[in-house]
Amino acid sequence: MKTVQIINKKLLGMKTAKYGEYITLNKPLLVLYVLSEYKKGHARMFDYASEVKPNLKMLLRNYGPARRGYATDMPFWRLRHDEFWDLNNAELCSTNGVREPEESELIKFKVSGGFDKVSYTALTMKPTLIDEIANEVTNKFIPQENRILLMTELGFDVKINHNTQDELLNGIVSIQRDIEKLKSNKQLSETTKQKLINARVGQGEFREECLKLYPLCPVTGIFFNALLRASHIKPWSHCVNARERLDPYNGIMLAAHIDALFDGGWISFENNGTILKSNKLDLQTCESINLPDSIKPFRADSYDYLEWHRDRVFEKITFTKS
């Protein structure tokens, strides 16, 4: 068996626990983070304290089920039992077993981790393999509704199924184009760039602030974090500045299927919460998804954004789509 096939088999076979009905994403997200950094030219090993902990915690908060705390030391330590992960300075810790030591020891002894030398060499010799393996890992472990956003944020080339609609593909290309523009903008600080990138994919601080305004989808009542989208009311690409793009009042938390209707212009909202339904949205669809007539009224800070959506997104679909 070729080295790459062996790597792929080990990655897809890594052991994961369950959190209720869902698998925990700690290990898969750590692997995807490391692969994304390898694609950028990162060295083989990653320092736990300064690299793994903050970045994995952010990914877990954005893409994992909502929890009171996010374990980053557990996957970092336990991945070595999946036969592709090395740890440096692990022998200095008080335990070398399956269970991880106290996190303070990982920090004190500057423990670092990364793919083993054989795997790292094989991947860096042919960088296109990183994208291929990342797609495989994502498709196996990451919930479908989060795959494209996660892959885009981490900078992977996303493989699209041939049956995917052109609108979805165009949306992905648009997101990737906007992210590249942000990365190359020398007038923005790195902190501002990251905030805007997170907002572009509905994650990070923008998502957290939207969740404060809308702890659940106001249309469906769904509150499970992984099924909610932080949707811009006035589309990100049409915002005139960073303030509009990061403004939580230009956002609304919607269940994935409602977000698709809102983003596509099939529905919109009056300021008082009345749901506007496009004449291209058939009655059967409205009934099958139990689309209500109205939701709770919006705050005044959202009125201008809602007006923009009604005039420029919803109205366009209603009157010009054939």
Side-chain angles (χ1 to χ4, degrees):
M1 186 180 293
K2 295 181 179 179
T3 301
V4 175
Q5 292 175 318
I6 295 174
I7 297 170
N8 207 33
K9 183 178 180 180
K10 289 179 178 179
L11 290 175
L12 297 181
M14 64 179 148
K15 298 176 183 177
T16 55
K18 275 199 169 187
Y19 181 64
E21 298 179 1
Y22 303 90
I23 64 170
T24 56
L25 301 181
N26 306 56
K27 279 186 178 182
L29 287 175
L30 174 53
V31 166
L32 289 169
Y33 161 68
V34 168
L35 287 172
S36 73
E37 291 300 310
Y38 283 161
K39 184 177 179 180
K40 300 172 187 175
H42 195 287
R44 185 170 72 92
M45 304 301 281
F46 294 75
D47 178 66
Y48 172 75
S50 64
E51 296 182 288
V52 171
K53 183 178 180 179
N55 287 289
L56 179 55
K57 186 176 181 179
M58 180 185 70
L59 290 173
L60 286 167
R61 186 171 60 243
N62 290 342
Y63 295 101
R67 306 178 72 168
R68 285 180 293 180
Y70 299 96
T72 55
D73 53 342
M74 176 273 292
F76 176 78
W77 184 267
R78 297 186 187 182
L79 263 181
R80 65 181 182 158
H81 301 292
D82 292 301
E83 301 181 355
F84 63 84
W85 187 258
D86 281 348
L87 292 175
N88 285 345
N89 294 338
E91 69 280 0
L92 301 177
C93 298
S94 59
T95 175
N96 237 344
V98 176
R99 299 290 298 181
E100 62 277 5
E102 293 292 328
E103 185 182 50
S104 58
E105 293 188 26
L106 298 178
I107 297 172
K108 176 182 178 180
F109 297 120
K110 298 182 179 180
V111 179
S112 60
F115 282 28
D116 61 58
K117 292 180 180 179
V118 173
S119 300
Y120 174 75
T121 301
L123 292 174
T124 53
M125 286 180 63
K126 192 175 181 182
T128 55
L129 292 175
I130 296 177
D131 285 301
E132 293 178 15
I133 291 177
N135 272 277
E136 293 281 350
V137 172
T138 300
N139 289 336
K140 176 166 183 180
F141 295 105
I142 306 301
Q144 185 174 3
E145 64 271 10
N146 286 335
R147 291 172 188 168
I148 293 173
L149 291 178
L150 175 60
M151 293 288 281
T152 301
E153 179 179 345
L154 292 179
F156 294 117
D157 294 332
V158 183
K159 286 187 177 180
I160 303 299
N161 187 288
H162 291 300
N163 294 324
T164 302
Q165 294 182 349
D166 290 340
E167 291 87 352
L168 177 59
L169 179 58
N170 291 336
I172 298 166
V173 172
S174 176
I175 290 174
Q176 291 176 323
R177 186 186 303 119
D178 290 337
I179 289 176
E180 289 305 314
K181 287 181 180 178
L182 286 171
K183 289 180 177 178
S184 62
N185 190 332
K186 297 180 180 179
Q187 296 179 335
L188 298 175
S189 68
E190 291 302 316
T191 300
T192 301
K193 285 181 184 180
Q194 190 57 55
K195 286 183 178 180
L196 288 169
I197 289 171
N198 288 341
R200 183 62 180 102
V201 296
Q203 302 296 339
E205 182 178 321
F206 176 74
R207 179 184 178 89
E208 291 178 359
E209 293 302 313
C210 284
L211 277 169
K212 292 178 182 178
L213 297 176
Y214 302 96
L216 47 75
C217 171
V219 178
T220 65
I222 291 174
F223 61 87
F224 184 59
N225 194 287
L227 297 180
L228 295 178
R229 298 286 174 274
S231 181
H232 281 84
I233 299 172
K234 181 179 180 180
W236 192 95
S237 58
H238 291 282
C239 292
V240 297
N241 52 37
R243 185 193 66 79
E244 286 191 350
R245 288 169 174 158
L246 297 174
D247 186 358
Y249 290 100
N250 186 26
I252 181 173
M253 298 304 299
L254 297 173
H257 61 300
I258 303 299
D259 174 56
L261 294 176
F262 183 68
D263 189 55
W266 303 106
I267 65 170
S268 191
F269 302 98
E270 294 282 11
N271 296 343
N272 66 3
T274 299
I275 297 180
L276 304 174
K277 304 165 188 175
S278 168
N279 57 13
K280 298 298 181 180
L281 188 62
D282 62 277
L283 180 61
Q284 183 178 359
T285 298
C286 293
E287 292 178 344
S288 65
I289 62 176
N290 198 26
L291 199 61
D293 293 325
S294 65
I295 62 173
K296 183 178 178 180
F298 287 85
R299 294 170 173 83
D301 292 316
S302 295
Y303 287 178
D304 288 344
Y305 298 123
L306 288 166
E307 182 180 7
W308 200 99
H309 187 275
R310 291 193 298 267
D311 291 344
R312 306 287 289 275
V313 181
F314 177 74
E315 295 289 354
K316 180 179 180 181
I317 295 294
T318 300
F319 296 114
T320 66
K321 188 177 175 72
S322 60

